[in-house]
Amino acid sequence: MKKLFIVALIFFGVNSWAQNAEFGIKGGFNYGATGDYEGPGEVASDAATIIKGKEKAGWHAGVYGQFEVAGIFLRPELLYTELNTDYKDFNYKLTKIDAPVLVGVNVLGPLNIKAGPSFQYVMKNELENTSFQIGDVENQITVGYELGLGVDLGRIGFDARYEGAFQENDAIGQTAMDQGFKIDSRPSQWILSLSYEL
């Protein structure tokens, strides 16, 4: 009897989520930077040079699902993202797959707030406009976080979020003089998205 009751509860829960499910596409722009560049000083006796990356625009596109019960929803997403950072003498480009899993609540009319972990798979990191060489990031798979707010107007949704990371994820490189340097590839960015429910 107890097992039958548990099965009934699970079935009811899954059925409730399924009745309030939506799926769609989304895309937009991101504006932010990766972490610090740390390289050699101008002469051998100098301390390491640390350069804070300057924010640049990037973009993202992908799909989402949303499952809602009693005003609370779970929103998993799968996105292709490009993030660019200016380090004075070159541009650093990070290409990744993002999979945020956010929990949200409808707070007032069409307005909602959401937050949760963001799983990231770094596909490629490269330097542009320089002869410097860069290797792979230390960890291809990392976990960060996202938090933000959204507005749903029928099938169309608008979203503004902040994305951050929990720990450093360095990529090691070499200058034209074969001196070593590293770039912290973790993102810190603002994300603006437009979504459409299918």
Side-chain angles (χ1 to χ4, degrees):
M1 185 68 178
K2 185 177 180 182
K3 290 181 180 178
L4 182 62
F5 179 70
I6 292 172
V7 170
L9 279 178
I10 292 172
F11 176 78
F12 177 75
V14 170
N15 191 47
S16 297
W17 283 91
Q19 288 177 354
N20 293 283
E22 65 180 61
F23 302 91
I25 56 175
K26 64 173 294 186
F29 296 98
N30 27 287
Y31 183 77
T34 48
D36 292 342
Y37 163 93
E38 185 177 335
E42 292 185 8
V43 296
S45 60
D46 284 350
T49 299
I50 297 177
I51 301 173
K52 181 177 174 58
K54 183 179 179 182
E55 295 85 354
K56 292 187 71 174
W59 64 277
H60 62 276
V63 295
Y64 74 90
Q66 186 162 305
F67 311 94
E68 183 175 339
V69 172
I72 299 174
F73 60 82
L74 179 70
R75 185 179 175 111
E77 300 177 348
L78 190 62
L79 305 165
Y80 174 89
T81 301
E82 285 191 3
L83 175 63
N84 297 292
T85 306
D86 182 5
Y87 286 104
K88 193 187 303 184
D89 295 324
F90 58 85
N91 184 63
Y92 179 57
K93 182 177 179 181
L94 189 70
T95 303
K96 59 194 181 100
I97 298 295
D98 287 322
V101 182
L102 308 181
V103 175
V105 60
N106 298 310
V107 292
L108 181 63
L111 182 67
N112 62 72
I113 56 174
K114 56 182 80 75
S118 179
F119 301 91
Q120 302 157 14
Y121 172 73
V122 177
M123 299 172 63
K124 189 176 182 181
N125 69 315
E126 57 188 331
L127 304 180
E128 299 176 332
N129 306 319
T130 183
S131 59
F132 291 7
Q133 301 294 320
I134 190 97
D136 293 335
V137 295
E138 184 180 0
N139 299 302
Q140 276 194 297
I141 299 174
T142 61
V143 181
Y145 61 90
E146 290 187 9
L147 51 92
L149 54 88
V151 176
D152 294 323
L153 303 173
R155 290 183 176 271
I156 296 175
F158 300 93
D159 214 35
R161 300 181 194 169
Y162 175 77
E163 179 188 41
F166 293 118
Q167 62 185 26
E168 292 185 4
N169 190 24
D170 294 332
I172 306 299
Q174 282 190 324
T175 69
M177 303 296 291
D178 291 332
Q179 295 174 302
F181 69 88
K182 65 181 180 179
I183 294 177
D184 180 4
S185 69
R186 59 180 163 178
S188 175
Q189 64 176 339
W190 292 97
I191 303 169
L192 298 176
S193 304
L194 175 66
S195 62
Y196 181 76
E197 180 187 350
L198 299 175

